[in-house]
């Protein structure tokens, strides 16, 4: 890696808040030293001290912060293409479950897979994300629902960051669903499996944040609070799958714990929005799941805007409700389905995605931040959300290096 370099481009979107649309800068220069930005601005204003540094000239291309996928389930066994076909042929959720489908089919496949098999499979999805300029991904557990497999998933997630030039943030999602042997007593599952797994995973250094699924088909707010109390005891930040299918007040609960994010939030109400605004909790919208499940209840985007709640976007890449491994398509979906602007979409996969992961050193192009960049064969950042099924990535720089 060249320790010092100057990057030149005709167009740059810094995504620094409060600097105008996209933080646009024309005829831009970026000085990088030791994997971090040391100077950013118009090349005509670049200090002379950088004049002799090696130059990478990207010509008429656009430079943006590298993209961040703030909500994924990329580590899992098997796939659920068969039940996708069953749904399209008229089968109900209950019929699919009785036939061995649903989340439990993924749990069975994940429990039986080795770490090596899970890693190899996950890397196919991770590579698709990296090919679209992604430099950081969040990876959840939650398809084990026993101690051994939850730990196995998190170990595989850590290995992704060793196998590829990508930053990985892990989330413990033991409170994803109750397995069949605890279906009648989910509190016992939390006591005997989920919370012990969380403690063991934390002791092994495998957990960056704690997540849960707050829904009628999963866990109620008081049950999630039990898990979050342990997270607080361990000094771990929390986030929550909330208000996806109904409004149980999950977002308000998450905000009360100072959550990094509340995710999905299609059924979020005004009280929940206000609680998130006061707590600084990011709303992570997941249009891939909305699309796949053919939902009709849209997240309250205007209420989020009115309360200045940061809006992030993510793929929610998973085998059941969002088999999506394209953050560019996610941006387009968010604009088309949820009426985000292209600028909001790009902020959602850069600056606000970083906030949703508790990262202060990435997501924007500014001095002292990590030199994680995407270089695009486009002339304006709106093109990134405008196109469908088209990847204009020219280069991805991770810590200043391709």
């Amino acid at each position: 890696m060249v320790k010092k370099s100057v990057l030149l481009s005709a167009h740059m979107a810094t995504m620094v808040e409060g600097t105008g649309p996209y933080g646009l800068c024309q005829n831009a220069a970026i000085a990088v030293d030791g994997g971090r930005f040391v100077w950013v601005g118009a090349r005509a204003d670049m200090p002379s001290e950088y004049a002799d540094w090696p130059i990478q000239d990207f010509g008429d291309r656009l430079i943006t912060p590298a993209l961040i996928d703030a909500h994924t389930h990329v580590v899992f066994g098997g796939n659920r293409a068969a039940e996708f076909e069953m749904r399209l042929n008229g089968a109900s959720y209950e019929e699919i479950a009785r036939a061995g489908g649903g989340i439990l089919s993924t749990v069975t496949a994940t429990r039986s897979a080795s770490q090596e098999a899970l890693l190899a499979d996950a890397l196919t999805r991770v590579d698709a994300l990296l090919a679209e300029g992604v430099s950081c991904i969040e990876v959840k557990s939650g398809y084990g629902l026993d101690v051994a497999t939850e730990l196995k998933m998190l170990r595989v997630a850590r290995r992704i960051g060793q196998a590829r030039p990508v930053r990985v943030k892990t989330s413990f999602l033991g409170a994803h669903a109750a397995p069949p042997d605890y279906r009648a007593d989910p509190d016992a599952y939390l006591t005997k499996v989920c919370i012990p797994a969380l403690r063991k995973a934390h002791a092994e250094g495998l957990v960056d944040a704690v997540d849960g699924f707050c829904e009628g088909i999963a866990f109620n707010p008081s049950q999630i609070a039990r898990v979050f109390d342990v997270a607080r005891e361990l000094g771990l930040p929390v986030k929550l799958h909330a208000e996806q299918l109904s409004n149980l007040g999950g977002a308000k609960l998450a905000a009360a714990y100072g959550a990094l994010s509340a995710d999905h939030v299609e059924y979020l109400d005004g009280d929940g929005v206000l609680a998130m605004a006061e707590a600084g909790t990011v709303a992570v919208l997941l249009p891939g799941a909305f699309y796949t499940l053919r939902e009709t209840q849209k997240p309250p985007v205007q209420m989020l805007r009115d309360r200045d709640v940061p809006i992030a976007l993510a793929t929610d890449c998973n085998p059941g409700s969002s088999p999506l491994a394209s953050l560019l398509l996610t941006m387009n979906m968010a604009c088309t389905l949820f009426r985000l602007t292209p600028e909001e979409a790009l902020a959602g996969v850069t600056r606000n995605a970083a906030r949703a992961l508790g990262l202060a050193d990435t997501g924007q192009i500014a001095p002292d931040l990590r030199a994680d960049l995407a270089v695009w064969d486009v002339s304006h950042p709106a093109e990134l959300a405008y196109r469908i099924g088209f990847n204009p990535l020219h280069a991805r720089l991770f810590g200043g290096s391709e």
Side-chain angles (χ1 to χ4, degrees):
M1 181 183 78
V2 177
K3 184 178 180 182
K4 297 181 178 181
S5 63
V6 171
L7 313 178
L8 304 178
S9 185
H11 317 281
M12 173 175 64
T14 67
M15 300 310 297
V16 174
E17 201 163 12
T19 57
Y22 300 97
L24 276 174
C25 177
Q26 306 300 327
N27 296 313
I30 305 170
V32 176
D33 188 4
R36 293 189 175 265
F37 305 122
V38 294
W39 187 87
V40 176
R43 67 183 71 177
D45 299 328
M46 187 174 68
S48 59
E49 63 188 281
Y50 307 119
D52 294 332
W53 287 19
I55 291 175
Q56 286 181 275
D57 191 343
F58 291 109
D60 198 40
R61 297 182 177 91
L62 170 73
I63 293 179
T64 71
L67 308 188
I68 299 169
D69 197 347
H71 181 131
T72 86
H73 305 252
V74 295
V75 175
F76 59 83
N79 70 77
R80 280 149 69 182
E83 69 183 68
F84 171 72
E85 188 170 27
M86 290 174 66
R87 275 201 309 271
L88 294 175
N89 284 318
S92 69
Y93 181 87
E94 290 76 16
E95 289 169 334
I96 290 170
R98 285 198 300 270
I103 186 175
L104 293 181
S105 67
T106 300
V107 170
T108 299
T110 304
R111 286 178 176 180
S112 64
S114 67
Q115 282 196 41
E116 294 302 325
L118 288 174
L119 177 63
D121 200 24
L123 288 177
T124 63
R125 296 179 278 275
V126 171
D127 287 343
L129 292 169
L130 300 192
E132 290 190 348
V134 172
S135 69
C136 180
I137 59 173
E138 183 258 17
V139 181
K140 303 179 190 296
S141 67
Y143 290 128
L145 308 185
D146 61 23
V147 174
T149 313
E150 290 295 304
L151 294 175
K152 177 173 67 174
M153 291 184 69
L154 291 168
R155 292 180 188 127
V156 170
R158 286 283 191 242
R159 289 180 64 186
I160 290 171
Q162 299 164 4
R164 294 291 188 272
V166 65
R167 195 175 184 183
V168 174
K169 301 294 286 185
T170 59
S171 294
F172 175 83
L173 184 57
H176 195 191
D181 43 337
Y182 287 99
R183 185 64 55 80
D185 193 354
D187 279 291
Y189 165 74
L190 295 179
T191 299
K192 297 179 180 180
V193 179
C194 178
I195 291 173
L198 171 56
R199 293 188 182 281
K200 289 184 179 181
H202 175 258
E204 198 173 317
L206 297 174
V207 185
D208 296 321
V210 175
D211 200 347
F213 187 21
C214 187
E215 273 295 345
I217 61 173
F219 297 95
N220 64 39
S222 63
Q223 291 165 336
I224 293 295
R226 292 184 56 201
V227 180
F228 281 5
D229 284 341
V230 176
R232 178 178 283 173
E233 173 197 330
L234 297 174
L236 293 169
V238 300
K239 55 181 59 186
L240 188 63
H241 291 61
E243 273 73 90
Q244 179 186 7
L245 306 173
S246 63
N247 186 352
L248 297 185
K252 286 181 67 175
L253 171 73
Y257 282 84
L260 293 172
S261 70
D263 302 25
H264 288 288
V265 299
E266 282 91 335
Y267 285 82
L268 182 65
D269 61 15
D271 289 343
V273 171
L274 179 59
M276 291 175 64
E278 292 176 344
T281 298
V282 177
V284 180
L285 307 187
L286 305 170
F290 179 91
Y291 168 86
T292 300
L293 297 176
R294 294 185 289 179
E295 294 292 339
T296 57
Q297 176 80 22
K298 298 178 182 179
V301 169
Q302 191 57 51
M303 281 201 293
L304 294 170
R305 289 171 177 148
D306 290 344
R307 291 290 185 177
D308 294 322
V309 175
I311 298 173
L313 301 174
T315 63
D316 191 20
C317 180
N318 74 72
S321 63
S322 186
L324 171 65
S326 169
L327 208 47
L328 291 174
L329 181 54
T330 300
M331 293 169 65
N332 177 270
M333 285 180 168
C335 293
T336 302
L337 299 175
F338 298 158
R339 293 296 187 261
L340 265 65
T341 68
E343 183 178 5
E344 288 174 324
L346 187 54
V349 296
T350 54
R351 180 178 71 235
N352 291 339
R355 290 185 62 172
L357 297 181
L359 298 175
D361 64 347
T362 191
Q364 303 174 76
I365 304 176
D368 300 323
L369 302 190
R370 283 178 54 94
D372 296 337
L373 295 169
V375 183
W376 309 94
D377 283 314
V378 302
S379 60
H380 192 277
E383 293 183 55
L384 300 178
Y386 153 71
R387 298 184 186 275
I388 303 173
F390 178 77
N391 181 3
L393 186 73
H394 171 77
R396 186 190 76 116
L397 281 68
F398 185 68
S401 179
E402 290 190 53

